Amino acid sequence: MKVILAEKPSVARDLASFLKASNRHDGYFEGGGYQVTWAFGHLVELKEPGDYDPSLKRWTLESLPFVPEKFQLRLRGDDGAKKQYSVIKRLFRDADLLICATDAGREGELIFRYIMTLTACTKKPAERLWLSSLTPSAIASAFSSMRPLSDYDNLYAAAKCRSQADWVVGLNATRNYTVRYRGGLSRGNSDDGGSPRVASGLLWSLGRVQTPVLAMIVRRDDEIRTFRPEPFWELLTKYLDVQFRHTGKRFDKEEDAQTLLQTAASHPLEIHKITGRTEKSQPPQLYDLTELQRDMNRRFGISAADTLAAAQSLYEAKLITYPRTDSRYISKDMRKDIPGVMKQLSSLKPKEIGKLDLKALPFTGRIVNDAKVTDHHAVIPTGANAGVLADRQQKVYDAIVVRFIAAFYPACEKQITTVDAAAGKVDFRARGVRVVVPGWTELYPRKPKRGDDGEEQQTLPDFVKGESGPHMPFVKAGETSPPKHFTENTLLGAMDTAGKLVDEAELREALKEKGLGTPATRAATIETLLNRKYIAREKKNIVATDLGRYLVAIVRDRNLTSPELTGEWEAKLKQIENGKLSADVFMREIEDYTRGIVENSASVSVDHSVYGPCPRCGEPVIAGKKAFGCSGWKKGCRFVLEPTYRNADLSMAQVRELLQIGATTTPLVIDYGPPFLLGMSEGGCVVEIPVPTGNEQDGDDKASGSKRAGKTDRGQTKGTGKRTTTKPPSPGSAAGDKPIGACPLCGSPVIEQSKSYSCSRWRDGCGLTIWKLMSGKKISMTNVKKLLKKGETPVIKGFKSKAGKSFEAKLKLVEGKVRFDF
């Protein structure tokens, strides 16, 4: 008997259908010599500290750092997981061959191997089914090219290292900072006579990836908060309805600009030089998950998590290939299949595909590159008929289809004309852009943007060298702009390149190996920070809350907030995956680093022999007559730190803490107001950081994303494959979501949502959904409970058909789907 384990019930159904394993049993399908079963995501997890030693259930500083000598596994605690695991265990132990059909990537490998280990079946013969699509042809291809599971041992090693590293860093950092700062004030300072006391109860959740991401957002917000606009003036002129700009620098003083204007106004404008060049804009590359999420957020404001959910549902509906990919290329052996996919899509996009020669598609190096296809190729459509899709799914699907077509379109060619002119000795320049060949841009029609200065949008007449005439010079006032808040689009871009905001494709590609997290986990990281209330959504922007700012301020280990360090770790996980680095070496680094987190936060180390480095340039700060300033002032650094804040004197200890640590350790209280810390921004400005009151994580937060996420002491979210714990009591969890009944698919609790009643394990792939409104009729809670308990409801009146006719029917649950029973 061959036993196949899929990651989710929906994938198991597709595999069973392909294999004609049509006999349905409790928890698996059977037929043709196969048994096809499924997990609900991470059924098996790393044990909690209390499983190793009951005394570790209590969070204390004395027990830290805790790193198990040998990591052990346990079964996830909910009833649905226990029930399904017992099925898997029985099937595994009776099997002659195990086939891993979990998601083809790092986390899918971990799910299968952990289950294999806990069931004590690691000695069984095992093979790997590597699926990039769920179409019948793709499944057939995968079965014909199965490989021994041992070929993926390095992938498992990387997955296990990621799992254990997140456990070690997250657990120890979270317990350490929660115990020290649970009430908002350090335990070491809370007994000081003058220090304010606040309520206890905060969970300070830290993680190997989420804390550097939070720090990036906090730094950006502080940069915006402390930005001071500086005025400037520009000299421009109009000649034959074309705007010319002075080629020199902008002016800091208006009178300087006006003086030059007078000089220019006394001479006609003469055309000196006309140059033209053709510029090609290559078509966009195919999507990987991160670029898809960024594009959806940029164009429609869809969150990264919602884009991933939509893409996952499209994948399970066999409409697109595997979405959790970090590649934007396809492999050479896929070229033969692309024309067929295009033909299938022709009914959907006849005009667009009609312009392509399907017999001679241009498979350039921007599309095909075997070296850059590792676990999976780019996200592309399968060609299957999509039918009617929900709005968000439709947007994501259309984007993938159009991007797929656009990749094969010709480049966009533009004619760029530059005209150099002068009014006396005052030089001016005008630029104009004309699209010669629209190429791929035909697929992305945009309304023309009208710039404030008209530059580049303007159409130039046929100037002649040497011509001259009257012109109208004028001075335009402006001011410098602050950096923009992160959106999910730009935040994903920064995570993709370890915090470095870059637009150049080549540099992005070079930094990609050192990104924060993986494409599959970045959305969950953002949602975790939202659920913890460390960040919030303000329209399209992602901003740090005061709670998040305070957390970054109290973290003494700068490496814990460093995107670069975490990026280096991600690169090392890739090396482990490729067999180029020992897993033991990596984990020793993680353990040493974790010990440093605990030790460095135990005491604040300040060097009293110096003031500290300049936050702007790094040169030593020195004391002046009235303030502290940068010793590099002769080189142009203008950093100054006043010895007072809001008329309150700063102590020398506070000055040194600001410069050396980045924040004061003891709260300030001015005029009987609320306590706050002082922080030093990277731009050298002092900022206030309110001390939490202790109840910020209580209750619901409309801006904090999903209410289903539960707390863990490793700063992760339920349903993303990480373990959960109930210690310490953590405000704002999903404990208030009372179960309505048991899910008939997996046995987990069903909970009420805004528009439906859904299985609480929805993130792990359980698709049970009972809509509150069906065919114009509101489904009562009583009927939902009967449906879950008995599998059907009594006859319900008041439904309306699409034609507007009333009808009555029972509701029945058939394999987790709600059907009408007339």
Side-chain angles (χ1 to χ4, degrees):
M1 179 61 69
K2 300 174 182 178
V3 174
I4 300 175
L5 178 73
E7 192 166 318
K8 298 176 181 178
S10 59
V11 179
R13 282 194 293 270
D14 288 334
L15 295 175
S17 175
F18 175 82
L19 295 169
K20 306 275 192 300
S22 55
N23 296 324
R24 174 70 188 261
H25 299 279
D26 190 10
Y28 69 100
F29 298 92
E30 186 172 15
Y34 289 93
Q35 291 172 330
V36 185
T37 186
W38 58 86
F40 294 114
H42 290 254
L43 281 182
V44 176
E45 59 191 21
L46 294 174
K47 282 186 175 181
E48 293 292 333
D51 297 324
Y52 295 93
D53 182 348
S55 67
L56 294 175
K57 289 182 179 179
R58 184 168 177 267
W59 292 24
T60 64
L61 295 178
E62 293 73 26
S63 63
L64 302 178
F66 175 69
V67 181
E69 289 185 16
K70 184 178 180 180
F71 283 90
Q72 298 175 23
L73 301 173
R74 71 176 191 182
L75 179 62
R76 204 175 69 203
D78 56 276
D79 292 339
K82 292 175 182 176
K83 180 182 177 183
Q84 187 61 18
Y85 173 77
S86 66
V87 172
I88 296 170
K89 182 177 179 180
R90 176 170 55 82
L91 297 180
F92 269 31
R93 292 192 170 179
D94 292 341
D96 299 305
L97 174 70
L98 302 179
I99 298 177
C100 173
T102 49
D103 283 358
R106 197 188 284 173
E107 290 307 298
E109 195 71 20
L110 189 71
I111 288 169
F112 183 82
R113 300 288 188 119
Y114 273 3
I115 292 174
M116 199 180 183
T117 301
L118 195 63
T119 56
C121 292
T122 54
K123 300 285 180 66
K124 290 264 186 184
E127 294 184 349
R128 188 42 151 127
L129 186 73
W130 196 264
L131 289 165
S132 285
S133 173
L134 292 175
T135 61
S137 60
I139 294 173
S141 176
F143 270 106
S144 67
S145 57
M146 283 199 301
R147 291 159 56 183
L149 187 67
S150 57
D151 286 1
Y152 298 88
D153 283 352
N154 288 335
L155 179 65
Y156 170 50
K160 188 163 66 169
C161 282
R162 195 282 309 152
S163 172
Q164 294 176 356
D166 284 347
W167 193 97
V168 170
V169 175
L171 180 138
N172 284 285
T174 295
R175 288 193 172 198
N176 176 62
Y177 279 95
T178 297
V179 173
R180 292 183 188 279
Y181 295 91
R182 183 175 295 175
L185 297 178
S186 168
R187 191 175 72 170
N189 292 329
S190 60
D191 294 330
D192 295 347
S195 296
R197 302 298 297 270
V198 294
S200 63
L202 290 171
L203 173 74
W204 293 116
S205 165
L206 290 91
R208 183 180 61 90
V209 175
Q210 74 176 56
T211 307
V213 172
L214 173 62
M216 285 197 309
I217 300 169
V218 168
R219 288 165 189 154
R220 171 65 62 85
D221 287 357
D222 280 345
E223 193 178 352
I224 295 169
R225 182 178 284 106
T226 59
F227 181 82
R228 298 292 179 267
E230 295 182 1
F232 63 81
W233 290 264
E234 295 179 286
L235 176 61
L236 303 100
T237 192
K238 278 249 178 154
Y239 173 67
L240 297 180
D241 290 329
V242 174
Q243 185 166 287
F244 287 75
R245 183 184 298 275
H246 174 47
T247 58
K249 293 181 179 180
R250 298 187 302 200
F251 299 92
D252 295 330
K253 298 179 180 178
E254 184 179 8
E255 52 266 32
D256 292 342
Q258 291 291 349
T259 299
L260 199 61
L261 181 147
Q262 297 301 324
T263 302
S266 62
H267 297 85
L269 188 76
E270 182 178 348
I271 306 299
H272 286 175
K273 185 180 178 182
I274 304 166
T275 56
R277 63 184 174 87
T278 300
E279 184 179 273
K280 286 189 176 183
S281 172
Q282 296 298 328
Q285 289 182 274
L286 299 169
Y287 283 127
D288 62 4
L289 176 59
T290 299
E291 186 59 29
L292 176 63
Q293 290 170 318
R294 294 187 64 184
D295 202 24
M296 291 297 96
N297 184 255
R298 179 170 55 238
R299 292 167 59 189
F300 305 112
I302 301 174
S303 73
D306 286 341
T307 295
L308 176 56
Q312 181 68 25
S313 66
L314 292 171
Y315 167 67
E316 292 175 15
K318 308 177 186 64
L319 297 177
I320 65 170
T321 58
Y322 188 69
R324 290 175 169 85
T325 176
D326 62 358
S327 177
R328 302 185 70 180
Y329 300 86
I330 60 174
S331 56
K332 288 180 181 178
D333 61 356
M334 293 178 64
R335 291 182 297 188
K336 65 182 185 302
D337 302 321
I338 299 303
V341 175
M342 287 287 189
K343 285 180 182 177
Q344 288 178 281
L345 294 171
S346 292
S347 60
L348 182 65
K349 300 285 184 182
K351 180 182 174 184
E352 294 83 349
I353 294 177
K355 294 184 178 182
L356 293 173
D357 182 357
L358 299 187
K359 295 180 181 179
L361 289 172
F363 289 101
T364 67
R366 291 171 56 81
I367 300 172
V368 180
N369 190 331
D370 283 356
K372 294 185 177 179
V373 177
T374 50
D375 293 346
H376 295 282
H377 55 72
V379 185
I380 62 174
T382 63
N385 182 16
V388 179
L389 297 173
D391 178 64
R392 189 175 294 150
Q393 290 176 325
Q394 188 69 58
K395 285 185 171 72
V396 173
Y397 181 67
D398 283 345
I400 294 169
V401 169
V402 172
R403 178 62 66 94
F404 177 62
I405 298 169
F408 294 94
Y409 259 54
C412 171
E413 294 184 17
K414 298 176 183 178
Q415 181 68 29
I416 299 177
T417 304
T418 303
V419 180
D420 290 302
K425 293 185 178 180
V426 184
D427 294 326
F428 290 91
R429 177 173 292 161
R431 280 164 46 92
V433 177
R434 180 171 62 90
V435 176
V436 181
V437 179
W440 64 270
T441 60
E442 288 184 59
L443 302 176
Y444 294 91
R446 293 182 179 180
K447 294 180 181 179
K449 293 183 179 179
R450 190 177 298 277
D452 291 338
D453 53 21
E455 190 179 32
E456 293 197 17
Q457 284 78 27
Q458 58 190 340
T459 302
L460 303 184
D462 293 329
F463 287 118
V464 178
K465 182 180 179 181
E467 72 171 270
S468 65
H471 63 112
M472 295 181 292
F474 62 96
V475 171
K476 179 183 174 184
E479 63 180 24
T480 54
S481 301
K484 296 183 183 298
H485 284 289
F486 278 117
T487 62
E488 286 203 42
N489 162 32
T490 56
L491 182 58
L492 286 167
M495 293 171 73
D496 200 29
T497 52
K500 295 177 176 62
L501 302 176
V502 292
D503 294 320
E504 295 82 2
E506 292 80 8
L507 185 54
R508 274 206 312 269
E509 194 66 32
L511 291 170
K512 212 170 192 179
E513 292 294 310
K514 298 183 179 181
L516 296 177
T518 65
T521 60
R522 287 171 189 147
T525 297
I526 295 171
E527 292 299 316
T528 296
L529 291 171
L530 286 163
N531 292 329
R532 295 289 181 270
K533 303 187 181 180
Y534 299 150
I535 63 174
R537 287 191 179 99
E538 291 185 357
K539 296 183 178 178
K540 282 191 176 183
N541 294 332
I542 297 287
V543 299
T545 63
D546 286 341
L547 205 62
R549 295 176 65 224
Y550 188 84
L551 175 55
V552 171
I554 62 176
V555 173
R556 302 298 173 222
D557 191 321
R558 295 296 96 183
N559 285 331
L560 190 53
T561 58
S562 166
E564 291 79 12
L565 178 68
T566 302
E568 291 289 345
W569 281 343
E570 291 294 340
K572 288 180 179 179
L573 288 172
K574 273 285 186 184
Q575 291 177 347
I576 295 170
E577 196 171 309
N578 296 328
K580 297 177 180 178
L581 180 69
S582 162
D584 291 339
V585 170
F586 176 80
M587 286 308 301
R588 279 198 295 271
E589 283 186 32
I590 292 292
E591 290 173 22
D592 292 342
Y593 169 72
T594 304
R595 289 189 183 91
I597 291 175
V598 177
E599 292 168 3
N600 291 340
S601 60
S603 60
V604 178
S605 178
V606 174
D607 186 348
H608 293 279
S609 65
V610 296
Y611 294 110
C614 171
R616 292 187 182 180
C617 70
E619 294 289 330
V621 169
I622 56 177
K625 291 182 179 179
K626 295 182 178 180
F628 302 91
C630 180
S631 60
W633 61 274
K634 288 184 179 180
K635 300 176 185 177
C637 185
R638 298 190 296 177
F639 170 72
V640 173
L641 174 61
E642 299 291 340
T644 60
Y645 183 79
R646 286 171 50 188
N647 297 323
D649 292 333
L650 299 180
S651 67
M652 288 300 100
Q654 289 171 325
V655 168
R656 288 187 170 95
E657 286 172 353
L658 278 172
L659 294 171
Q660 296 180 34
I661 301 173
T664 57
T665 58
T666 305
L668 284 73
V669 175
I670 296 178
D671 295 333
Y672 303 101
F676 59 88
L677 300 180
L678 287 182
M680 177 66 72
S681 75
E682 290 187 340
C685 295
V686 176
V687 294
E688 286 188 20
I689 306 166
V691 173
T693 60
N695 60 4
E696 284 83 355
Q697 291 169 328
D698 292 343
D700 294 331
D701 184 352
K702 294 179 182 178
S704 66
S706 170
K707 296 177 184 177
R708 303 189 206 191
K711 302 289 186 185
T712 81
D713 64 350
R714 282 166 308 290
Q716 300 294 346
T717 307
K718 282 186 178 180
T720 59
K722 315 300 186 293
R723 293 138 308 279
T724 60
T725 184
T726 56
K727 295 287 186 177
S730 46
S733 70
D737 293 330
K738 295 180 180 178
I740 297 159
C743 172
L745 292 177
C746 69
S748 301
V750 174
I751 57 176
E752 183 177 6
Q753 303 298 322
S754 59
K755 295 182 180 180
S756 68
Y757 302 94
S758 304
C759 178
S760 57
R761 303 308 308 175
W762 63 280
R763 287 186 184 274
D764 291 335
C766 188
L768 177 79
T769 300
I770 304 170
W771 297 106
K772 290 184 176 180
L773 190 68
M774 294 181 62
S775 295
K777 173 69 176 177
K778 186 177 180 181
I779 310 303
S780 69
M781 175 80 77
T782 301
N783 279 326
V784 171
K785 289 181 177 178
K786 289 178 180 177
L787 187 61
L788 292 172
K789 187 175 182 180
K790 299 180 179 179
E792 66 178 22
T793 67
V795 174
I796 301 174
K797 298 181 179 181
F799 293 113
K800 281 197 174 182
S801 69
K802 290 182 180 179
K805 294 183 178 180
S806 297
F807 67 93
E808 60 184 43
K810 292 181 179 180
L811 295 181
K812 266 193 172 184
L813 273 175
V814 182
E815 295 186 352
K817 304 291 184 184
V818 182
R819 308 292 188 204
F820 286 116
D821 183 21
F822 298 98

